[in-house]
Amino acid sequence: MRSRRCRRPLLVTALSCALAVLVAGPTAATGDADSSDADSSHDLGAEVVRLYEEAALATRRYEAGRREAEEQRGRAQRLERLLDRERRDIAVLHGGLGRIARAQYRTGGGLPHTVRLLLADSPEELMRGQRAVRQADLAVDNAVTRSRRAENRLAADESKAASAWQVLERRNDELAGIKRGIERKLEEAQGSLQEQADASAAAGACRGSVRLDQPDAAFTQPWIPPVETYELSAGFGSGGERWASRHTGQDFAVDIGTPVRSVGRGRVVRVSCGGPFGIEVVVRHPGGYYTQYAHLAAVTVDQGDRVSTGQWVGQSGTTGNSTGPHLHFEVRLTPQPGSGVDPREWLAERGVEL
């Protein structure tokens, strides 16, 4: 059974905290890996984090453009309804002008003043006729003015709507292109990072830690999830062909290169490569519990380092006995496998609901 707790799309997995670019050089590599290998791993890890940041920014801009497009579409629909009303008003005005013209023709409107004077039966009738003619002329003038204004406004509104759509479509096309380009680069960098990780795991020799800028966020709570944005996959105790008996941890489905955080403060007691867990980090916490972070593509700490809550200890991958990118997270009573407890229950007891 799959469980989900995702506050943002997986495309931006752990991106809000990925404001990192590399600063210091890599620490000494363990095993037989040389300094050039460490530098290469360092560069790739930092490149993945940087591209995560760029992808997050591009996604936010693209989503903002998409929302603006929806708003513009709503404005355009309201404008179209307004234009329909203006067209109907113009049709009514044109009809009114025709009726006024016909009425003037039938009542002698437009006759010379001398002819009206000769045809009038009395001065009062002449005055009434003059008032009627003036009112009719005024009505015609007003109707013509309103009609011209409405037609000008209609033309301006139609031009404005067409221009707004053209600008919006061009900008959204540009944003989509930028987003696709960054995602393509990110995918290439992730592939290269995973290739290096697979080589390290196969050789059983880690390349050394990737020293990245840590996130600025200071956590007030003592315990947090091991990744910021995730989808839960295989849980503790579940069965499957990949495990000799039962699954011993909780899996988090995240992309390659996603920063992995220490769930609490402690000391790194193990950094290793090779075996069923691939590249892994084990942290000992106060109280005697250990947490394991496995199937990594890179590590960002060295054995013996002290870590704080939320500090990055590695980048997720798919090394070892893994069928796809994810973080395998365990809670144990000892640093070695075989003493695991349910990570979800353990974190829940400490105020962290997955």
Side-chain angles (χ1 to χ4, degrees):
M1 179 178 179
R2 292 173 71 86
S3 173
R4 184 178 181 86
R5 173 68 63 85
C6 186
R7 296 181 294 275
R8 287 183 292 278
L10 284 177
L11 172 66
V12 290
T13 302
L15 294 176
S16 65
C17 71
L19 300 177
V21 289
L22 78 146
V23 283
T27 59
T30 59
D32 298 328
D34 58 26
S35 60
S36 62
D37 287 340
D39 289 340
S40 177
S41 178
H42 173 269
D43 293 342
L44 276 174
E47 177 72 358
V48 169
V49 172
R50 184 185 66 80
L51 288 170
Y52 266 135
E53 177 186 351
E54 290 189 8
L57 180 59
T59 299
R60 289 195 295 270
R61 287 176 175 171
Y62 178 78
E63 290 300 318
R66 184 186 59 78
R67 288 192 296 270
E68 185 176 347
E70 292 295 329
E71 294 171 0
Q72 178 63 26
R73 185 174 293 109
R75 288 193 294 268
Q77 291 171 347
R78 292 192 295 272
L79 179 58
E80 186 60 31
R81 290 192 293 269
L82 176 61
L83 295 180
D84 286 339
R85 287 197 298 270
E86 290 177 348
R87 293 186 186 100
R88 290 194 296 269
D89 291 343
I90 290 174
V92 170
L93 288 175
H94 286 169
L97 289 175
R99 287 192 298 274
I100 292 172
R102 289 192 296 272
Q104 281 190 304
Y105 177 78
R106 288 194 300 270
T107 59
L111 291 175
H113 179 72
T114 303
V115 176
R116 295 176 189 169
L117 181 62
L118 291 173
L119 295 178
D121 293 334
S122 65
E124 289 79 9
E125 182 181 350
L126 177 60
M127 294 298 293
R128 286 196 298 273
Q130 288 179 325
R131 283 195 298 271
V133 169
R134 283 197 300 272
Q135 290 173 353
D137 288 342
L138 182 60
V140 170
D141 291 341
N142 290 339
V144 170
T145 300
R146 288 198 302 272
S147 177
R148 288 175 177 171
R149 288 176 178 173
E151 289 174 341
N152 292 336
R153 186 168 60 249
L154 176 63
D157 287 344
E158 288 178 333
S159 176
K160 179 181 178 181
S163 177
W165 271 112
Q166 291 172 359
V167 171
L168 191 60
E169 287 176 355
R170 285 197 300 269
R171 194 181 77 171
N172 283 347
D173 288 344
E174 291 173 359
L175 289 174
I178 292 172
K179 181 172 175 286
R180 287 192 300 269
I182 294 174
E183 289 171 351
R184 184 168 56 252
K185 292 179 181 178
L186 175 59
E187 184 177 354
E188 292 172 356
Q190 288 173 322
S192 298
L193 180 64
Q194 185 60 47
E195 287 178 5
Q196 285 194 352
D198 289 338
S200 295
C206 295
R207 293 175 176 269
S209 60
V210 177
R211 293 302 187 181
L212 303 174
D213 278 346
Q214 293 293 328
D216 293 332
F219 295 95
T220 57
Q221 64 272 36
W223 303 97
I224 61 171
V227 286
E228 182 181 3
T229 305
Y230 53 85
E231 181 178 348
L232 296 178
S233 50
F236 180 79
S238 57
E241 297 178 355
R242 296 188 301 275
W243 310 299
S245 54
R246 292 288 178 177
H247 193 228
T248 56
Q250 174 64 58
D251 286 350
F252 296 77
V254 290
D255 290 336
I256 293 172
T258 300
V260 174
R261 316 181 296 191
S262 177
V263 297
R265 66 183 180 89
R267 182 186 291 274
V268 177
V269 296
R270 180 178 174 83
V271 175
S272 66
C273 301
F277 290 117
I279 299 175
E280 64 170 329
V281 172
V282 177
V283 177
R284 185 184 188 279
H285 301 281
Y289 284 98
Y290 298 80
T291 56
Q292 179 203 34
Y293 311 84
H295 303 312
L296 301 176
V299 296
T300 59
V301 291
D302 290 313
Q303 188 164 311
D305 285 353
R306 291 189 177 276
V307 294
S308 58
T309 301
Q311 181 175 335
W312 293 347
V313 297
Q315 291 175 272
S316 62
T318 181
T319 53
N321 183 15
S322 171
T323 59
H326 72 285
L327 168 68
H328 176 84
F329 173 71
E330 286 194 19
V331 178
R332 302 172 181 164
L333 298 173
T334 65
Q336 296 79 24
S339 60
V341 298
D342 189 335
R344 295 188 70 176
E345 294 182 359
W346 187 83
L347 284 173
E349 292 173 357
R350 288 154 179 79
V352 179
E353 295 290 339
L354 299 180

